[in-house]
Amino acid sequence: MPTLLRLFGLRFFFYMDEHRPIHVHIECGGKLAKIELEPEIAIVYNHGLKENELRMAVDTCKLYKAKFIEEWHNRFDN
């Protein structure tokens, strides 16, 4: 599971066999969430992240969206 970023206790990552739409997974203390990056940033699911953790994850996805999408293409479009 390639880790893209660790920030404020949140780990942003891809699984090895990802599928579209482009998205990232977020882990924090054993809790998980999934956020789509395209066509828009949207929470797909949240399994236990607190409201402030989820808000921070969404804000981080907005900030790093271009980088995460670039990494997606580098890993899965080859």
Side-chain angles (χ1 to χ4, degrees):
M1 294 183 285
T3 297
L4 303 167
L5 179 68
R6 288 182 187 271
L7 188 66
F8 304 116
L10 301 171
R11 181 172 70 100
F12 297 79
F13 65 97
F14 298 138
Y15 286 108
M16 296 303 295
D17 60 346
E18 289 292 7
H19 55 84
R20 288 188 182 270
I22 296 175
H23 62 277
V24 294
H25 298 269
I26 299 95
E27 185 271 332
C28 182
K31 303 166 285 189
L32 297 171
K34 178 178 170 182
I35 297 177
E36 285 184 357
L37 301 174
E38 288 187 335
E40 306 179 354
I41 292 179
I43 299 165
V44 177
Y45 64 74
N46 175 25
H47 296 302
L49 271 72
K50 296 176 184 173
E51 186 176 327
N52 65 323
E53 294 168 332
L54 190 59
R55 185 172 41 253
M56 191 176 302
V58 169
D59 289 346
T60 301
C61 285
K62 290 176 182 176
L63 186 63
Y64 286 90
K65 179 179 178 176
K67 181 64 177 166
F68 290 167
I69 290 172
E70 177 183 348
E71 285 296 322
W72 174 283
H73 290 299
N74 290 340
R75 294 174 190 273
F76 304 111
D77 287 348
N78 294 327

